[in-house]
Amino acid sequence: MFSNCDSSSSSSIITFSLLFLLFYTPIFVCCNSDEVRALLEFKKGIQSDPLKKITTTWNSTAVSTAADLDSCPTSFHGVICDDSYNSVVSIVLDNLNLAGELKFSTLIGLKMLQNLSLQGNNFTGRLVPQLGSMSNLQYLDLSGNSFIGRIPDRIHDLWNLQYLNLSHNQFSGGYPAGIRNLQQLRVFDMHSNQLWGDVGLFFSELRNVEFVDLSMNKFSGQLPVDSSLVSSMGNTIRHLNLSRNLLGGKFLSNNTLALFQSLVVLDLGDNMIGGELPSFASLFNLRVLRLRNNQLYGEVPVELLTTSIHLIELDLSGNGFSGFVRGINSTTLELLDLSSNRLTGSFPEFSSQSGLTSLRISNNSLEGRLPSEWRQFSRLSKVDLSINKFSGPIPPALFSLNLIDLNLSRNHFNEAIPFPESMVGELLAEPVFAPLESLDLSENALEGDLSTDVGFLGRLKSLNLAKNRLSGRIPSSLVRIDGLESLDLSNNKFEGHLPGQLPTSLKALNVTYNSLSGTVPENLRRFPPTSFYPGNEKLVIPVEGSPNDASSSISDGAGHHRSKSSIRVAFILASVGAALMIGFVALAYYRAQFHGSSSNKFNGSTAGRDVKLGRFGRPSLFKSHARSEPSETSLSFSNTHLLTSNISSLSGQADHVPDISEHASVVAASSINLPDKSVVTSARKSPPGSPLSCSPRFIETSEQPITLDVYSPDRFAGELYFLDASLAFTAEQLSRAPAEVLGRSSHGTLYKATLSSGQTLTVKWLRVGLVKSKKEFAKELKKIGLLRHPNMVSLRAYYWGPREQERLILSDYIDGDSLSLHLYGLPIKSFPMARPWDGVKWV
């Protein structure tokens, strides 16, 4: 009986086992095959796999057998399985340079997935709301890709999420509400996106987070002033970075700041936070404080510069801090940046055991002398004290440090530069070069020769000594700095020849505004003329093919005329010069011809003369005024001649008398007075044998000059643009400058203007209609302004007024003889002194 029961029972067990295997096994295989299919579907979004990590392992051949179907696809690169669940729990494809548009919905079938990390690739696509159904996900890192769109609300359904990093993508829109649901979250990193929202939301809803980085977004709002608005995150957070957003309001209050006991890093830089700083004495764990580029003011809290807080980095630059910084006693501080504030006083005293590696106090109002001892800064590598008022000699001890970057520019340092001497080791035959890579001593009052010891700065990459009073010759020892890339010695008093050899590594060279002479060495002719000019009038660049022929030398870089744009600039410049010369010759020629055929028109009534002069042309812009007494100045070529000469005859229109308003417009509406008396013949005769005395087309005639009588506005209303940074005056100063007419051409009228500073310029007032486009005008003038040559007048500035009549070009004034004197031996006196821009009536 029992045996039958046992037999029957055994039979039942076997039957159940068979049924279990029959029904259960396919379900289990189906579950694994679903995960494999999900991974293969996910792979379809990967369009680029340069390392072949995915294409060679994520394929159907790896799971072709039934045994493989029963197991997790561990052969897939980056896939990790959990044997207890026989399911995929982790996908890590970091920094494989993969690219493609991912479909996150294909991963929904991976129910046991806990870790998804795709950081450092080139993926794009959008996060889908279904991602919130992956409730086992604990670690999500999609940073360093190009994902777009909004962050879905359902991301807050990932209850178990501890690490969320979506930084360095292109997510946009407002950050969704509901982050309080992520109670397990420890790391929250959204930096470098285009997200916006109220930052106060995170202070009130994040609970146990330790790391928060929302930098480089568009978050706004204010920091919580009331401590009740800060959740329990104040007790846990160690790293808080809200820099480069749109935060405003005031800084944290004393009570609120005291809640952040665990804070190690606080970065609120590049916002609009204002107010004074509270006490940081309670933040014993704080190591990094960055508050750069805000609107903070007041004095720097003393505890930040002492040993009470073991700060390693302090950046308060770009604010409005004021007052004295008397002492910096911290022994742990390594990076200190107080630049661009309003600090005053002298250089602060430092601890005898300073651990500083970088010191920046530039752009303040510190003054006095620097200390002579710097031995306590044994670890210092970068020093920037530029844009202050420090004076006296540069301490030689600075060059004995292991500095890599030294910037003392724009101060009042004087005397010679104390370059280090050769440092020869006991067992070395070669000098040991100082580690300095960048040295900027520009815009000081340094003087004396440039020592040959500069060659011992053998690791220099950038050397800037511009705008000092250095003199003598440029030392050839510079060739020893074989890694030098940038050299600026401009605006000094260097003389003599350029060194025959300078480092071949040079990429930027500026020796302008010195007194160098001779020929530019061949290895430096690769640099543009702007590297040598203006200044250095005796320095020439040989023409290619004639390096030794001084008569073939230029100091304008002729090699650059190979390009079409440079040829065009040269052609324009030559055309302007030729037009000026031809204009003067044509004026003399056609005046004589006109007087020879109709002299009665010039000796007739005043009214008739006025019509010929075009006095009433353009009545909306000019007014005629009678003068009771004409000027007594008598010219070989009179003002009347210059104003009535048929300039348009240069283009073949000999019978047309130009309107005076077209050739003598002085600004939007000037008043020009013409003499109402008859022309008085001068007793002056042309010299015998001159072209004027023997030519039947010229008449010995000299009339009473026409004086430009002008009554000026307060100032020009346009814009003055400088092509040379050495000039410094305003449009108003130019408008008040007395001037005299030098001559006229088809392009306009030329004046000699003397500024209140005594500087003399030549002002070319362009004819109406000559210039149409401001953009093209500025473009061409900037090109011409770069040209430098001893025999060419340099352009210095130009003025663009609101009216078409207001176009001026300013250049150097060259005191020399006239063209008439060189051609015919006839001196031309200057016009009576006047201000051509006086009496402007704006209409």
Side-chain angles (χ1 to χ4, degrees), residues 131-351:
L131 196 64
S133 64
M134 303 176 69
S135 57
N136 286 313
L137 201 61
Q138 300 177 14
Y139 187 102
L140 178 60
D141 189 350
L142 305 180
S143 61
N145 285 282
S146 299
F147 294 112
I148 60 174
R150 300 175 67 92
I151 296 175
D153 294 357
R154 289 198 60 192
I155 198 169
H156 297 141
D157 292 343
L158 302 175
W159 313 100
N160 291 310
L161 203 60
Q162 299 179 20
Y163 185 101
L164 176 59
N165 190 347
L166 305 182
S167 63
H168 275 293
N169 279 285
Q170 299 176 28
F171 291 113
S172 59
Y175 188 85
I179 196 171
R180 68 171 59 205
N181 296 332
L182 304 181
Q183 297 291 323
Q184 306 298 321
L185 195 63
R186 296 294 182 270
V187 174
F188 181 56
D189 193 347
M190 295 284 161
H191 79 272
S192 299
N193 282 287
Q194 301 174 35
L195 302 171
W196 53 267
D198 191 339
V199 73
L201 173 74
F202 302 103
F203 281 96
S204 60
E205 295 196 357
L206 285 172
R207 299 292 176 182
N208 302 308
V209 69
E210 298 178 3
F211 182 103
V212 174
D213 191 346
L214 305 179
S215 61
M216 290 181 277
N217 280 286
K218 300 177 181 179
F219 290 106
S220 58
Q222 302 181 8
L223 300 176
V225 179
D226 191 345
S227 58
S228 63
L229 299 177
V230 180
S231 66
S232 58
M233 71 173 283
N235 298 323
T236 59
I237 192 165
R238 296 170 56 83
H239 183 113
L240 178 60
N241 189 346
L242 303 178
S243 64
R244 300 182 67 176
N245 278 285
L246 303 173
L247 307 185
K250 292 187 176 182
F251 195 79
L252 297 168
S253 65
N254 277 299
N255 293 335
T256 305
L257 186 62
L259 296 176
F260 296 88
Q261 295 290 326
S262 302
L263 199 60
V264 177
V265 175
L266 177 60
D267 191 345
L268 302 177
D270 298 286
N271 281 286
M272 296 175 287
I273 302 171
E276 298 188 43
L277 291 182
S279 173
F280 286 79
S282 61
L283 302 186
F284 299 107
N285 295 307
L286 191 63
R287 297 295 178 267
V288 176
L289 178 60
R290 305 188 189 108
L291 304 177
R292 65 187 177 276
N293 297 334
N294 277 284
Q295 299 172 9
L296 301 168
Y297 55 85
E299 294 190 355
V300 177
V302 177
E303 61 270 13
L304 297 178
L305 305 174
T306 62
T307 56
S308 59
I309 298 179
H310 301 300
L311 276 178
I312 296 175
E313 179 181 349
L314 176 61
D315 188 350
L316 303 180
S317 61
N319 284 282
F321 292 109
S322 58
F324 296 87
V325 179
R326 291 182 174 84
I328 300 177
N329 300 320
S330 174
T331 57
T332 59
L333 203 57
E334 297 179 4
L335 305 175
L336 176 60
D337 193 345
L338 302 177
S339 59
S340 299
N341 280 285
R342 300 173 183 175
L343 301 176
T344 56
S346 59
F347 187 79
E349 296 181 3
F350 282 83
S351 169

Side-chain angles (χ1 to χ4, degrees), residues 579-593 637 641 645-651 698 819 823-824:
L580 287 173
M581 290 188 288
I582 294 173
F584 275 109
V585 176
L587 284 171
Y589 180 86
Y590 285 104
R591 174 189 173 278
Q593 185 181 40
F637 292 105
H641 160 61
S645 297
N646 189 354
I647 297 174
S648 61
S649 64
L650 295 176
S651 58
F698 289 87
L819 178 64
L823 293 177
Y824 312 118

Side-chain angles (χ1 to χ4, degrees), residues 40-56:
L40 293 178
E41 284 296 317
F42 181 77
K43 175 195 171 185
K44 291 180 180 179
I46 301 176
Q47 301 169 358
S48 175
D49 179 17
L51 301 180
K52 307 299 181 184
K53 297 287 187 179
I54 306 301
T55 54
T56 56

Side-chain angles (χ1 to χ4, degrees), residues 512-513 533-537 720-729 734 755 759-764 781-782 784-790 792-799 808-814:
T512 59
Y513 292 106
Y533 311 106
N536 305 314
E537 288 80 4
L720 185 62
Y721 300 91
F722 291 102
L723 304 175
D724 184 348
S726 66
L727 293 181
F729 58 88
L734 177 63
L755 302 174
Q759 187 175 13
T760 304
L761 295 173
T762 300
V763 180
K764 181 78 169 183
L781 283 183
K782 287 177 182 178
I784 298 174
L786 293 175
L787 301 177
R788 297 290 184 270
H789 192 278
M792 185 180 73
V793 179
S794 300
L795 298 186
R796 296 305 190 196
Y798 65 92
Y799 171 83
L808 280 69
I809 300 176
L810 283 67
S811 59
D812 289 332
Y813 174 72
I814 305 299

Side-chain angles (χ1 to χ4, degrees), residues 31 117 367 432 551 619 718 739 758:
C31 180
S117 183
E367 56 189 0
V432 180
S551 63

